[in-house]
Amino acid sequence: MKILLISDKISPILYDYFDRERFEDIDLVVSCGDLPADYMDYVVSMLNIPCYFVPGNHDEGFVDNPPQGWIPLDGKLVDHKGITIMGLGGSRRYKNGPQQYSEVEMIWRYLKMKPKIWWKKGQIDILVTHAPAYKLNDLEDTPHKGFKVFRTIIETYNPKYFLHGHVHLSYSQNPRLITHGETTIINGFQHHIFEY
């Protein structure tokens, strides 16, 4: 299965220079948040394949008006053709507003999902978040500091992939891909294609 990952900034290859042939073998799109609704509408209409998303900290409008044609992942565990995908959107709280959480609040969001994880016998194949995990592709400043609970999830359930955004590759020295234990961690800034 070929997955297109998008996050945080419009990709010229997908928008200004879109070539359908370049993306004809994509099976699934995952957004890690902070993308304009009209861009997301464009992506889903051009590719016409299943599209999943978690909201980013700048997606205030998605609270009342989520992007059309996209399947929300935030706080959910979904099954896509036998692959279990878990989503937790938002970032660390640095000002008032939706989609921002303290560490304790994110822990509570995770704990609310534990019965669903138990029902799936602990199978999480892909973890999708907006913010990174603590000390795994995050930064030191409060807005871009990762959540420790995401590390707990990774280290407990060993998902094959952990997909996140939030930390732009244009201003950080972090690589797009790293590994932690058995998990491949991918920063979805702009766009990235990978094979599951």
Side-chain angles (χ1 to χ4, degrees):
M1 178 180 294
K2 202 168 258 195
I3 299 174
L4 170 62
L5 178 60
I6 60 175
S7 186
D8 294 288
K9 187 174 179 183
I10 292 171
S11 173
I13 291 171
L14 271 167
Y15 200 56
D16 299 325
Y17 309 107
F18 182 78
D19 177 358
R20 187 175 300 280
E21 287 183 16
R22 180 178 281 177
F23 300 99
E24 66 185 1
D25 59 347
I26 299 295
D27 301 296
L28 178 68
V29 181
V30 175
S31 169
C32 293
D34 279 358
L35 290 168
D38 58 346
Y39 176 65
M40 293 180 72
D41 291 344
Y42 173 82
V43 169
V44 76
S45 66
M46 294 305 285
L47 298 179
N48 196 27
I49 57 176
C51 296
Y52 294 89
F53 82 99
V54 294
N57 55 298
H58 295 298
D59 292 330
E60 295 95 347
F62 291 177
V63 174
D64 298 319
N65 195 14
Q68 298 299 305
W70 287 75
I71 302 162
L73 273 176
D74 193 24
K76 296 181 179 176
L77 225 66
V78 300
D79 183 279
H80 180 82
K81 297 185 177 179
I83 297 172
T84 302
I85 307 171
M86 176 180 172
L88 284 166
S91 74
R92 189 172 286 278
R93 175 170 285 113
Y94 61 94
K95 64 176 185 173
N96 289 330
Q99 324 296 8
Q100 296 185 45
Y101 305 94
S102 68
E103 183 73 42
V104 171
E105 288 170 325
M106 192 59 81
I107 290 169
W108 276 109
R109 298 185 78 220
Y110 159 61
L111 290 176
K112 284 188 211 174
M113 298 180 73
K114 290 276 279 186
K116 296 173 191 171
I117 298 169
W118 177 84
W119 185 255
K120 284 281 194 183
K121 298 183 168 85
Q123 179 186 346
I124 300 170
D125 299 308
I126 301 175
L127 173 62
V128 180
T129 67
H130 177 62
Y134 181 70
K135 298 294 184 192
L136 295 173
N137 266 356
D138 67 345
L139 299 176
E140 292 297 319
D141 62 309
T142 299
H144 297 100
K145 191 174 286 185
F147 286 102
K148 292 178 182 176
V149 70
F150 294 168
R151 280 189 78 123
T152 299
I153 297 167
I154 292 167
E155 292 165 1
T156 302
Y157 301 105
N158 300 306
K160 189 169 177 71
Y161 291 98
F162 169 46
L163 314 177
H164 73 87
H166 193 52
V167 177
H168 296 201
L169 296 178
S170 57
Y171 60 64
S172 78
Q173 299 299 313
N174 294 347
R176 183 180 292 279
L177 280 86
I178 62 170
T179 57
H180 183 70
E182 300 171 28
T183 302
T184 299
I185 299 169
I186 307 175
N187 183 333
F189 178 71
Q190 285 191 326
H191 88 276
H192 181 73
I193 297 170
F194 68 100
E195 191 106 30
Y196 182 92

